[in-house]
Amino acid sequence: MDASARKSRRRGLGAFIVAGLVVVGLVAAFFFVDGGLRSYAEGQIEQEIASNLPDTVTGDVAVSIGGLSVIAQYLGGSFDRVALESGTLTVDGVPASVHVVATDVPLDQSQSVGDVRGIIDLEPDALNTLLSQALPSNVPDAGVELGKDEISYSGSLEVLGFPIGYRASATPSVDADALLLTPSGASVTSGGGSIDAGNLLSRVLGEEPLRICVAQYLPEGVTLAGVNVTADRARLTLQSSSLTLSRQSLTTLGSCTAG
């Protein structure tokens, strides 16, 4: 191979390497720009949520956008997956840890999010606040304790003018708008004498499951899907297929049916 042929081959190989480096650089630049736009979009969504939350809600919400390319998702008119996280959200005085995942999130705020799934973790103090609002008016506030798939609470009430200490237990479940506590047992802890614990249970919980309204803390259209209780927290699962990210939707809270 003569010198001119070797030079021509080197020039061809060099051009191929340069072209490859240019492509790699363009790909890196695309992902760099895409990553910057992802951070910007996440910040914009955080600001949008913060400005649209009801006045009764306080706390910061962190946003992360999933999917490969934010640019492609933006051009397509929706984000594939948006996760919302807050460990210190307070709703009307009730503290909670919240994690929500929304899929098919449209850029047009007038359109519904494709699917919303979430969890709310409530500690005993938060449940105490909710329970105090649900107990009959003649029953003083009770102290909540959590166990495996069980919620129990203790307190006292007056029977024939005498204070009677009690401890009641209930099995948790949910319907669309409320946490339900179905009576499972009761005992007299002090001053009971001949008081029947079964009658006391009826006084404290009633004959029907005790309903703790949760819908009043959630945007309208978000419903309860389940509950799981451990010794540390009560975890409520949420779902919705009709929620929009408009101010009207986020600030219009639900309500509970009677019964």
Side-chain angles (χ1 to χ4, degrees):
M1 182 180 297
D2 58 28
S4 61
R6 286 196 297 270
K7 289 181 180 178
S8 177
R9 183 177 181 182
R10 284 197 298 270
R11 283 196 298 270
L13 181 59
F16 178 79
I17 293 174
V18 170
L21 290 175
V22 169
V23 170
V24 171
L26 289 175
V27 171
F30 171 82
F31 282 108
F32 176 78
V33 172
D34 193 74
L37 288 176
R38 187 183 303 269
S39 297
Y40 174 78
E42 289 170 348
Q44 288 297 107
I45 295 175
E46 288 176 2
Q47 291 180 22
E48 194 69 24
I49 290 174
S51 62
N52 287 339
L53 286 175
D55 295 335
T56 56
V57 178
T58 59
D60 296 325
V61 177
V63 174
S64 60
I65 299 175
L68 291 178
S69 170
V70 169
I71 295 175
Q73 292 180 64
Y74 181 84
L75 293 176
S78 66
F79 293 119
D80 296 339
R81 181 182 186 276
V82 177
L84 314 176
E85 187 91 31
S86 178
T88 57
L89 204 65
T90 300
V91 184
D92 200 16
V94 179
S97 173
V98 178
H99 177 74
V100 176
V101 174
T103 54
D104 297 328
V105 181
L107 298 177
D108 183 352
Q109 294 182 357
S110 66
Q111 297 182 15
S112 299
V113 178
D115 184 66
V116 177
R117 305 280 171 167
I119 59 174
I120 297 178
D121 284 341
L122 300 172
E123 296 182 356
D125 286 347
L127 283 174
N128 269 331
T129 301
L130 294 174
L131 182 63
S132 66
Q133 299 173 6
L135 285 171
S137 58
N138 62 334
V139 177
D141 294 351
V144 169
E145 293 182 22
L146 304 180
K148 177 62 176 176
D149 297 325
E150 182 181 80
I151 295 177
S152 61
Y153 43 95
S154 56
S156 65
L157 51 78
E158 285 195 1
V159 178
L160 301 177
F162 295 97
I164 305 297
Y166 69 87
R167 178 183 176 86
S169 58
T171 302
S173 61
V174 299
D175 62 14
D177 53 25
L179 171 64
L180 308 179
L181 301 182
T182 302
S184 59
S187 60
V188 175
T189 58
S190 64
S194 60
I195 294 294
D196 179 75
N199 290 334
L200 184 67
L201 178 63
S202 297
R203 286 283 304 275
V204 177
L205 290 177
E207 299 296 335
E208 300 296 327
L210 181 67
R211 293 174 56 85
I212 299 178
C213 182
V214 178
Q216 62 184 322
Y217 302 101
L218 302 173
E220 190 173 41
V222 178
T223 59
L224 297 177
V227 58
N228 173 264
V229 178
T230 67
D232 298 321
R233 51 91 184 126
R235 171 167 290 178
L236 301 174
T237 56
L238 315 172
Q239 63 183 16
S240 177
S241 58
S242 61
L243 184 69
T244 68
L245 298 182
S246 66
R247 177 169 179 79
Q248 180 179 0
S249 177
L250 292 178
T251 58
T252 303
L253 302 182
S255 59
C256 287
T257 56

